[in-house]
Amino acid sequence: MRALIPTFFFFFLLHVLLSPLTTTAQEGGSQSEDKLPWRMHTLFSVECQDYFDWQTVGLMHSLQKANHPGPVTRLLSCTEDELRRYRGMNLAPTMVVPSMSRHPRTGDWYPAINKPAGVVHWLENSQDADNVDWVVILDADMIVRGPLIPWELGSEKGKPVAAYYGYLKGCDNILAKLHTTHPEWCDKVGGILAMHINDLRALAPLWLSKTEEVREDRAHWSTNITGDIYGMGWISEMYGYSFGAAEVGLHHKINDDIMIYPGYIPRPTVEPVLMHYGLPFKVGNWSFSKLEHHEDGVVYDCNRLFPPPPFPREVEMLEPDPNIRRSLFISIECINTLNEGLHLHHLSAGCPRPRWSKYLSFLKSNRFKELTKPKYLNQPASYTTIINKNRIVGELQGRKPKIHTLFSTECSTYFDWQTVGFMHSFRLSGQPGGVTRLLSCTDEDLKMYKGRDLAPTHYVPSMTQHPLTGDLYPAINKPAAVLHWLNHVKTDAEYVVILDADMIMRGPITPWEYGARPGHPVSAPYEYLIGCDNVLAEIHTRNPSFCEKVGGVIIMHIDDLKRFAMLWFHKSLEVRADKEHYATNITGDIYASGWISEMYGYSFAAAELKLRHIIRRDIMLYPGYVPESASSIRVFHYGLRFSVGNWSFDKADWRYIDMVNTCWAKFPDPPEASSITTGDPDERARDLLSIECAKTLNTALDLHHQRRRCPTEDVTEEKKLGDKVQVDTVLSDLNSSTGGDSPGERKLEDNLQVDTMLSDINFSLNTSSDFHRPEPETRSNMRWMVALWGIFVFLFCATFVVLSGRKRAGLKPRSFRNKKR
């Protein structure tokens, strides 16, 4: 009888999980994909300081909140020493730029020059600069209120759009005559710059050189010439821009309504779409100045925000004049959006949830959502036209579908270093939405596991060893984990992106870019799944004609995933149990061991629901393969050995080495790009991408060791050498234990034996599992809370009994008698 209990429980659980599954498939009709009329990119410049980090959090949050389209790059100017200590690499998609704060030639200290220097560096070194039509340049101390689309703002080739900077009086006097041959074309502009990429390429070098020129002209720094209230040449970079633009003949469309400084009063009919909090501002007795937070580590102090401004109701009572009141509402919107961004950042960084407060409740309210919904620069007709012409911009103008990214791992250091690489690339990729690591562990493994802080994590009971059959098959954890997540996590995501841990992201993977829609997931081709064409598909799906050879990257609508996940899990088990058809000529599995059963489970389940995939060959690349288009690759999948010259990398070589908890451990450095001498452009592109993948992994490990506060390099050179010897020794021992076989020649069963040495399997898919129990400290706090609630309930009941007794005795409580009067 005791032996039947697990079986009964397992099938009862499957019955519960299957009950919401619908078996009818909806086939989405084919729709023509609208294309973005032009490509755009947004840039902003910062330095390696806490001061710019909180500004970055605010700007990036507001860009997302405002539905601003296109990728964003933070130009991060740092010295090598600053970069080693810097802790904010994950705050935005970033390009590191050599710092020019201290001028390499003159020694002049002028950090503002990093802005034009960063733009020049981006144009010369970023692939994005070769794949864009329009560029928007912002400052970090800005809050965006609505999408800033250059052509919608009126920008044309030769005619950039910018905000008005009236204090640049040097455009009207001797300063312009000294520093440009066309002083009559000098425009007093700044703040936001929206221009065509060809104009930026012509302007950027002159922007930098003119900035240096004006900065060195100390004879004309005085306030009466420059308008600089400090008379210190601080706004030389602004003049460098205006003089550089005049030199190349750019005529700006100056818009005095697009941007506002909080504290200023907007015109009655104008709704500014950009707030620039470069100056102090106040509302009643509350005030804010960014300079007061110059060394503020608020980004890294869990649950700390800037002092909250007055609530909207208080502002309404404070000011009767409607125009001034609008100004005050803009001021509180600025700081509230900034605080909302900090709050969400702290949560995403793993900070504990803060205690309830009236202010946090307001930031989550519908009132605040209504007050901060995207604004548009008084052009509703034009935006309606864009909605009709272009699906993507239309969605951005209204609302992007929400996305969540999942990847599956196990409790081992082998998956930990992959997680470190994946999370590092995720942060740099610009991928919208959250990310969750699905971590499959036994209870015992989880107790000893050290990598809880490597990624936002959902813990899943391990299915590595099947609870009924005893089959050792770790790959089943992927569909089992997705199913578990769907059944235990509430999500508002409309699309889910599913990736593998052994992947490096190079850019965002979004449904609107790749055309995913209900009934039509996006995936990459897996041509070796030949079972889609033979008896295997005929046995395991009623719709073999719908079987598609896909995998790797999955973008699927949440409604499809909810119908699909259970079938994916069951079909994987079904194919795995069909040992009669393990043969290579049937499955394409070179090991003929059923290892790719989970992949067939995916394809057969999708066929059951008649899902039609949009197959994208340009989305994913195995390093070592020749890319069709290097710039379009969004994911490296380093599942196979790859090499460049005599250097090679195989993830299987590092299966048993703790790269994450060994200070400064890293993989052998790949060759430098300059060492590639082949004249074949395909081979060169292949090798450059392989080098990029390996370097990204090593960079991720290096930053991980810095976050773990490993001893600095100058102190621990001997220790790092010792660690390397230790790693080399482990590798040597592994090679000798396998008889000197190369990784590609090892038996699959040898790998499985180590992968699946997991004990005390608990597939209870139940929230009462230890996987969902809080930590000991949390459990202690919960006991106290339960005890306090118990005391409260007891006192309430006792009071109720006493009062009831007094009422029966004709004695009314005093408060009741007072009301009767």
Side-chain angles (χ1 to χ4, degrees):
M1 182 67 182
R2 183 178 301 173
L4 292 175
I5 292 176
T7 304
F8 172 79
F9 178 77
F10 180 72
F11 284 105
F12 172 76
L13 178 61
L14 290 183
H15 171 73
V16 171
L17 292 175
L18 274 169
S19 58
L21 184 65
T22 61
T23 57
T24 59
Q26 297 177 353
E27 296 186 52
S30 62
Q31 300 175 354
S32 62
E33 287 298 305
D34 298 314
K35 293 183 179 180
L36 195 65
W38 294 288
R39 301 164 297 177
M40 61 176 287
H41 201 104
T42 301
L43 304 174
F44 69 102
S45 175
V46 300
E47 300 166 49
C48 282
Q49 298 174 15
D50 291 348
Y51 176 57
F52 287 101
D53 285 356
W54 60 258
Q55 296 177 38
T56 296
V57 168
L59 177 60
M60 290 301 297
H61 172 63
S62 70
L63 286 167
Q64 183 177 11
K65 191 179 180 76
N67 292 326
H68 177 76
V72 179
T73 296
R74 173 179 62 161
L75 304 175
L76 181 65
S77 300
C78 302
T79 65
E80 292 182 1
D81 289 337
E82 288 173 336
L83 194 59
R84 291 192 194 100
R85 299 189 298 269
Y86 184 61
R87 49 183 175 170
M89 288 300 296
N90 64 329
L91 299 180
T94 299
M95 183 175 195
V96 177
V97 177
S99 175
M100 274 194 63
S101 295
R102 179 73 66 188
H103 196 282
R105 177 174 52 83
T106 66
D108 178 43
W109 178 258
Y110 183 54
I113 201 171
N114 285 312
K115 185 174 181 179
V119 171
V120 170
H121 187 86
W122 179 78
L123 287 169
E124 293 176 348
N125 296 278
S126 174
Q127 290 183 350
D128 291 328
D130 296 325
N131 295 281
V132 68
D133 303 302
W134 297 89
V135 179
V136 175
I137 302 176
L138 302 174
D139 290 332
D141 57 342
M142 289 180 167
I143 295 294
V144 178
R145 306 178 79 210
L148 303 168
I149 304 172
W151 56 92
E152 182 59 23
L153 298 176
S155 187
E156 302 174 44
K157 286 185 180 180
K159 296 180 180 180
V161 166
Y164 182 59
Y165 272 10
Y167 57 85
L168 296 179
K169 63 168 74 174
C171 274
D172 303 324
N173 59 36
I174 189 174
L175 199 65
K177 295 176 183 178
L178 289 172
H179 295 290
T180 175
T181 55
H182 300 286
E184 71 277 11
W185 287 353
C186 184
D187 290 328
K188 304 174 183 177
V189 293
I192 176 178
L193 307 171
M195 68 179 65
H196 195 272
I197 186 66
N198 293 343
D199 293 337
L200 184 61
R201 289 189 184 281
L203 166 69
L206 280 169
W207 183 3
L208 177 59
S209 63
K210 290 293 179 182
T211 299
E212 293 175 294
E213 187 178 309
V214 176
R215 179 69 180 171
E216 291 176 13
D217 184 9
R218 293 174 178 263
H220 297 94
W221 275 11
S222 60
T223 303
N224 65 324
I225 294 177
T226 63
D228 180 1
I229 59 173
Y230 302 105
M232 297 294 291
W234 186 253
I235 58 177
S236 299
E237 173 270 318
M238 299 180 189
Y239 279 113
Y241 175 86
S242 292
F243 294 160
E247 205 71 357
V248 297
L250 297 182
H251 293 268
H252 288 82
K253 292 186 177 182
I254 302 175
N255 192 320
D256 199 22
D257 296 330
I258 193 171
M259 186 183 80
I260 191 169
Y261 284 88
Y264 283 49
I265 300 175
R267 292 194 305 190
T269 59
V270 170
E271 188 69 86
V273 292
L274 187 63
M275 295 182 283
H276 191 180
Y277 56 91
L279 303 174
F281 58 99
K282 65 179 183 177
V283 178
N285 294 325
W286 173 93
S287 65
F288 181 85
S289 172
K290 69 172 189 175
L291 294 178
E292 294 177 358
H293 301 277
H294 201 274
E295 298 181 359
D296 197 332
V298 64
V299 168
Y300 307 103
D301 295 344
C302 273
N303 298 324
R304 185 166 72 84
L305 307 177
F306 293 119
F311 289 95
R313 184 173 297 178
E314 296 170 343
V315 173
E316 290 170 350
M317 298 170 58
L318 185 68
E319 181 54 61
D321 186 291
N323 287 329
I324 299 177
R325 190 162 61 237
R326 281 187 66 217
S327 168
L328 299 180
F329 267 95
I330 288 174
S331 295
I332 66 171
E333 179 186 342
C334 176
I335 198 68
N336 284 335
T337 304
L338 185 54
N339 273 340
E340 184 186 35
L342 287 169
H343 169 65
L344 294 175
H345 167 75
H346 290 153
L347 291 178
S348 67
C351 291
R353 288 195 172 275
R355 295 179 179 178
W356 181 91
S357 70
K358 185 178 179 182
Y359 182 59
L360 285 180
S361 180
F362 166 70
L363 293 183
K364 299 175 183 177
S365 68
N366 289 330
R367 176 79 190 279
F368 179 67
K369 186 183 298 184
E370 181 66 21
L371 289 172
T372 57
K373 65 184 181 181
K375 311 295 191 299
Y376 305 101
L377 195 63
N378 299 322
Q379 294 173 327
S382 299
Y383 274 93
T384 302
T385 302
I386 282 192
I387 292 173
N388 294 333
K389 286 185 176 179
N390 185 278
R391 177 182 60 82
I392 298 175
V393 176
E395 285 181 353
L396 293 169
Q397 183 268 346
R399 181 186 58 80
K400 286 181 184 177
K402 295 182 179 179
I403 307 174
H404 199 89
T405 303
L406 303 175
F407 69 105
S408 176
T409 70
E410 300 168 40
C411 278
S412 71
T413 55
Y414 176 56
F415 281 100
D416 284 355
W417 65 255
Q418 295 177 40
T419 297
V420 168
F422 180 93
M423 288 303 301
H424 169 66
S425 69
F426 178 88
R427 297 182 187 106
L428 296 180
S429 69
Q431 177 74 351
V435 61
T436 297
R437 170 180 61 165
L438 305 176
L439 185 64
S440 300
C441 302
T442 65
D443 290 349
E444 292 302 315
D445 285 334
L446 192 59
K447 290 176 184 175
M448 299 180 291
Y449 183 61
K450 300 179 181 178
R452 294 172 182 263
D453 63 340
L454 298 180
T457 300
H458 176 71
Y459 298 98
V460 181
S462 175
M463 275 283 290
T464 296
Q465 186 174 30
H466 195 283
L468 296 181
T469 66
D471 180 38
L472 296 176
Y473 185 50
I476 195 66
N477 283 315
K478 184 176 180 179
V482 172
L483 179 62
H484 193 276
W485 181 78
L486 285 170
N487 281 284
H488 292 83
V489 174
K490 291 183 179 179
T491 179
D492 60 354
E494 294 158 83
Y495 284 88
V496 176
V497 178
I498 303 175
L499 303 174
D500 291 332
D502 57 342
M503 289 181 169
I504 294 294
M505 296 183 67
R506 302 179 75 227
I509 301 170
T510 60
W512 53 85
E513 180 172 357
Y514 290 100
R517 56 187 185 272
H520 293 270
V522 170
S523 194
Y526 271 8
E527 299 294 352
Y528 56 84
L529 296 179
I530 61 176
C532 274
D533 301 326
N534 57 38
V535 67
L536 199 65
E538 295 172 2
I539 292 173
H540 294 290
T541 175
R542 294 169 296 178
N543 305 305
S545 62
F546 280 81
C547 186
E548 294 172 317
K549 304 171 187 177
V550 293
V553 175
I554 300 166
I555 311 173
M556 186 177 288
H557 194 276
I558 188 69
D559 293 340
D560 290 335
L561 188 61
K562 287 177 178 178
R563 297 184 299 122
F564 168 79
M566 179 63 81
L567 278 172
W568 181 12
F569 174 64
H570 276 295
K571 289 295 179 182
S572 299
L573 292 175
E574 183 181 304
V575 177
R576 178 69 179 172
D578 184 10
K579 296 188 178 184
E580 293 182 6
H581 296 94
Y582 272 10
T584 302
N585 65 325
I586 295 177
T587 63
D589 180 1
I590 60 172
Y591 299 105
S593 61
W595 182 251
I596 58 177
S597 298
E598 172 270 318
M599 299 179 190
Y600 278 114
Y602 178 91
S603 292
F604 294 158
E608 282 293 284
L609 297 179
K610 296 185 178 180
L611 299 178
R612 281 297 191 193
H613 286 81
I614 297 168
I615 302 175
R616 295 295 297 256
R617 297 182 177 276
D618 59 344
I619 196 172
M620 186 183 79
L621 178 76
Y622 283 90
Y625 282 57
V626 174
E628 293 185 6
S629 172
S631 61
S632 67
I633 300 301
R634 296 295 173 87
V635 173
F636 290 136
H637 192 180
Y638 56 91
L640 305 173
R641 177 180 289 274
F642 60 98
S643 61
V644 179
N646 295 325
W647 173 93
S648 67
F649 180 84
D650 187 340
K651 69 172 187 175
D653 291 348
W654 306 88
R655 185 180 294 276
Y656 315 115
I657 300 175
D658 190 351
M659 304 294 292
V660 169
N661 298 304
T662 303
C663 268
W664 305 116
K666 69 172 187 175
F667 304 114
D669 288 319
E672 292 298 323
S674 58
S675 68
I676 300 175
T677 57
T678 178
D680 187 316
D682 289 340
E683 292 180 359
R684 180 174 178 80
R686 175 199 65 196
D687 290 348
L688 286 174
L689 291 173
S690 296
I691 290 170
E692 179 186 336
C693 179
K695 284 195 170 185
T696 303
L697 280 171
N698 271 342
T699 299
L701 284 170
D702 185 63
L703 292 172
H704 165 77
H705 295 315
Q706 291 180 38
R707 286 193 295 270
R708 289 290 177 90
R709 300 186 183 277
C710 282
T712 54
E713 186 173 356
D714 56 341
V715 176
T716 61
E717 201 59 43
E718 290 186 13
K719 183 180 185 307
K720 289 175 68 177
L721 181 60
D723 290 340
K724 183 179 185 304
V725 171
Q726 181 183 4
V727 169
D728 290 343
T729 303
V730 175
L731 274 175
S732 176
D733 292 344
L734 286 174
N735 288 333
S736 62
S737 68
T738 57
D741 290 343
S742 67
E745 296 169 340
R746 295 175 193 147
K747 296 290 186 181
L748 178 66
E749 287 77 6
D750 294 338
N751 289 337
L752 283 175
Q753 182 178 3
V754 178
D755 277 346
T756 57
M757 290 177 62
L758 303 172
S759 58
D760 299 332
I761 305 301
N762 175 15
F763 185 56
S764 59
L765 292 183
N766 189 310
T767 53
S768 64
S769 161
D770 284 342
F771 293 92
H772 300 280
R773 293 175 190 163
E775 295 299 311
E777 182 180 352
T778 308
R779 289 202 297 268
S780 175
N781 292 336
M782 288 178 65
R783 292 191 190 103
W784 276 106
M785 290 295 294
V786 170
L788 288 172
W789 273 103
I791 294 171
F792 174 78
V793 171
F794 173 78
L795 292 174
F796 178 81
C797 293
T799 304
F800 179 78
V801 170
V802 171
L803 291 176
S804 299
R806 293 180 65 181
K807 184 179 289 187
R808 285 194 299 271
L811 297 173
K812 297 179 181 177
R814 179 173 299 175
S815 61
F816 183 81
R817 294 199 302 271
N818 289 341
K819 287 181 182 179
K820 292 291 287 183
R821 292 175 189 171

